[in-house]
Amino acid sequence: MSDEHVSTLSSAIARRAAEAPDHVLLITDEAQVSYGEMDRQGARIAAALRRSGLGAGDTIAVLAANRLSYLALMVGAARAGIVLAAIPVSAEAAAKQSMIRDSGAALLFADESLPFAVGARVIMLDEEFEHWLTDGATGDATPVAVDGDAAMTIIYSSGTTGTPKGIVQPFRYRARMLESGGARGYSADAVTLLATPLYSNTTLSALVQTIGAGGTIVLMAKFDARRWLALAEQHQTTHAMLVPVMCARLLAHPDFDSTDLSAFRVKYCTSAPFAPAMKREMLDRWPGGLVEYYGMTEGGASFVLFAHEHPDKLHTVGRIAPGGGEVRLLDDDDRDVPPGEQGEIVTRSGGMMIGYHNRPDETAESRWIAPDGGVWQRTGDIGRIDADGFLTILDRKKDMIISGGFNIYPSDIEAVVAAHPAVTEASVVGVPSETWGETPVAFVVAPGGDAGEIREWINARVGKMQRVADVHIVDALPRGPIGKVLKRELRDRYVGALKEAA
């Protein structure tokens, strides 16, 4: 621990409340809340948490969709120095139970009934929450001066490659975001539209930067393209945080071109591969700038592509943000690769996770210790940096297929598959092969398409070792809460079908 005290979501709201108490902080379907009201709500929650016997360093968990009380709990927890574990509502019941227990939370705030025991007192976000809050109205609401290295949030990973892990972020991690809002284009008159879940670091990044600049958040409970466009026009939205699948659905919606989006200053997009063609379409059809972020919930360097300023670099994720940290590319022996060559991306910055909750071995595996003793975060991605410093992501290291001793990157095949006229979405995974060790299989969304014809079309256009053994047409690709394709689920589905057929 250090002795350095840092800004929190609570202290940032308190400062803004003192300057402009009536300025609108949050707009939801439930209500409209000012900075002054949220400051008071956070104080009541901090008092109620203390009356419940919790103090700095203790943990609460939240299992809920986007709503006013979710943000208020974040503010109250920060005010009391209490750790908040964000549990994904999209997870299966067994995974939710495991995450809640892993968090060690003393209180769980939920908007759904639970069919399992969690080892914590459950407070439903309805009248029960209001009664609990009223009981704490006279408690101690004094803000805690938090240590920058103290745990602040536990964000559970999407589980795309296995069981979700709790990523423990320190207060310093979020303080950097609070302070960077102005540099990232947010201001007091910003109106940011958010429709990704509050248990996602993607959402929290934009939310915290907007609040740090004193702006307004329009929060959707769940993404719906038609409703999103209506809200953007109604509130004259200036900023939005999106993921690529949302961009695709908005651009394809029949209301898009007739919606007034002229107030937009910038759209941010992150969390999943963002096709250059889609970036180009957004630049052509959507007013305002377009910025792509690349980074990890675990922390480390952030890369930023200002697509409207660098239309010739749309195949990249940009360069390291100013003051955003450092990057190195490593070969399979953890040695630096020569300039221009590809390697595993490792990064470091002043904003790094404390570690994976209750998983010291996996925390150690996620880090690379340099010869000088410096600690770097492994991203698990393979990339290449060009002469201008722009990073291109080639693939996930764990998704790489090793077939007959050759390294095959699924993204290379996916780029070919996506060009087929019948294919709207595609994902390629490696499945076990007695002959090759692994072999590629393509899952495609192709209404009216023929799997055999698509397979022949692909294999006529890729290298010999890249040829797919099979093509499966599916109604939709399985995705996590922020749009990442769950390749593990596709792989398991395919292998399971083979076992059943055997």
Side-chain angles (χ1 to χ4, degrees):
M1 289 286 181
S2 70
D3 294 327
E4 180 189 359
H5 294 151
V6 297
S7 297
T8 68
L9 191 60
S10 174
S11 63
I13 289 173
R15 284 195 299 271
R16 183 62 172 156
E19 300 166 354
D22 296 328
H23 190 84
V24 177
L25 185 159
L26 182 69
I27 299 170
T28 71
D29 288 337
E30 304 168 89
Q32 180 171 297
V33 181
S34 69
Y35 274 83
E37 291 166 333
M38 183 60 75
D39 185 42
R40 291 189 290 274
Q41 182 86 329
R44 293 179 68 204
I45 288 174
L49 288 170
R50 287 179 175 136
R51 284 174 62 91
S52 296
L54 278 70
D58 291 329
T59 301
I60 63 170
V62 181
L63 174 61
N66 290 355
R67 55 191 296 153
L68 191 160
S69 55
Y70 201 140
L71 178 57
L73 282 163
M74 290 181 175
V75 177
R79 188 181 184 102
I82 289 171
V83 183
L84 186 145
I87 310 299
V89 297
S90 59
E92 297 296 328
K96 291 175 183 174
Q97 182 183 40
S98 175
M99 287 183 276
I100 294 165
R101 288 180 170 174
D102 174 77
S103 73
L107 296 178
L108 169 66
F109 297 87
D111 64 359
E112 60 181 64
S113 58
L114 304 179
F116 48 76
V118 295
R121 177 188 171 188
V122 180
I123 298 174
M124 301 302 295
L125 292 172
D126 49 26
E127 292 84 0
E128 184 179 1
F129 176 68
E130 294 302 323
H131 291 153
W132 172 82
L133 193 56
T134 301
D135 289 342
T138 59
D140 179 10
T142 307
V144 168
V146 300
D147 187 298
D149 293 334
M152 173 203 64
T153 311
I154 304 176
I155 301 290
Y156 281 89
S157 68
S158 60
T160 57
T161 57
T163 304
K165 299 184 288 288
I167 300 165
V168 185
Q169 300 170 331
F171 278 97
R172 185 186 315 283
Y173 183 108
R174 203 65 68 195
R176 288 167 59 88
M177 292 182 179
L178 280 167
E179 296 160 3
S180 67
R184 297 291 174 89
Y186 296 96
S187 58
D189 63 348
V191 179
T192 300
L193 178 53
L194 298 176
T196 46
L198 282 171
Y199 54 80
S200 161
N201 200 57
T202 295
T203 314
L204 295 179
S205 298
L207 180 142
V208 167
Q209 289 176 358
T210 303
I211 290 175
T216 299
I217 305 290
V218 179
L219 184 66
M220 295 182 69
K222 185 179 181 181
F223 175 72
D224 172 80
R226 184 186 299 278
R227 177 67 173 150
W228 194 100
L229 290 168
L231 287 172
E233 180 173 280
Q234 176 186 347
H235 297 291
Q236 288 295 284
T237 298
T238 61
H239 296 70
M241 179 63 80
L242 301 159
V243 296
V245 67
M246 293 166 65
C247 296
R249 290 173 184 172
L250 288 167
L251 291 168
H253 197 278
D255 292 347
F256 181 84
D257 290 322
S258 61
T259 301
D260 179 10
L261 302 175
S262 60
F264 265 96
R265 299 173 195 166
V266 64
K267 293 84 59 188
Y268 298 102
C269 191
T270 187
S271 298
F274 194 10
M278 191 184 301
K279 297 178 195 178
R280 169 53 61 191
E281 185 176 358
M282 289 188 71
L283 290 174
D284 290 342
R285 297 177 60 197
W286 198 329
L290 173 62
V291 176
E292 180 179 10
Y293 282 134
Y294 168 75
M296 297 183 70
T297 303
E298 286 87 341
S302 296
F303 285 77
V304 182
L305 173 65
F306 295 94
H308 50 289
E309 296 179 3
H310 300 282
D312 59 328
K313 299 288 188 179
L314 301 187
H315 59 290
T316 78
V317 295
R319 293 182 285 204
I320 288 183
E326 304 170 76
V327 62
R328 293 167 81 161
L329 302 184
L330 305 179
D331 63 18
D332 290 339
D333 296 316
D334 283 346
R335 296 174 301 193
D336 291 299
V337 302
E341 293 195 10
Q342 68 185 40
E344 181 185 0
I345 304 162
V346 298
T347 70
R348 68 176 178 182
S349 73
M352 306 273 280
M353 71 170 180
I354 294 172
Y356 294 122
H357 196 245
N358 295 330
R359 300 192 183 196
D361 291 344
E362 291 185 53
T363 298
E365 289 173 8
S366 76
R367 290 170 172 164
W368 175 64
I369 308 302
D372 64 1
V375 178
W376 297 68
Q377 186 68 46
R378 294 183 183 273
T379 66
D381 289 333
I382 303 296
R384 181 186 296 114
I385 298 175
D386 66 21
D388 298 319
F390 286 77
L391 173 67
T392 299
I393 307 298
L394 302 175
D395 224 317
R396 288 288 297 165
K397 189 173 183 179
K398 290 182 179 179
D399 290 337
M400 185 175 68
I401 303 166
I402 303 177
S403 183
F406 289 89
N407 292 346
I408 299 172
Y409 294 103
S411 61
D412 292 339
I413 306 173
E414 289 164 355
V416 174
V417 182
H420 189 285
V423 173
T424 58
E425 290 185 284
S427 183
V428 173
V429 302
V431 301
S433 166
E434 291 185 5
T435 304
W436 303 108
E438 285 186 302
T439 191
V441 168
F443 288 81
V444 303
V445 178
D450 177 79
E453 183 276 326
I454 294 173
R455 177 176 175 271
E456 290 182 10
W457 189 92
I458 296 168
N459 289 344
R461 290 164 172 79
V462 297
K464 182 178 179 180
M465 297 307 301
Q466 295 175 311
R467 292 173 185 168
V468 298
D470 204 355
V471 168
H472 275 246
I473 295 179
V474 296
D475 293 333
L477 297 176
R479 295 181 182 274
I482 53 174
K484 291 182 181 179
V485 175
L486 303 178
K487 293 199 173 196
R488 174 177 51 83
E489 185 174 318
L490 292 173
R491 187 180 297 110
D492 291 348
R493 183 189 305 177
Y494 186 88
V495 172
L498 289 179
K499 289 180 179 178
E500 289 181 6

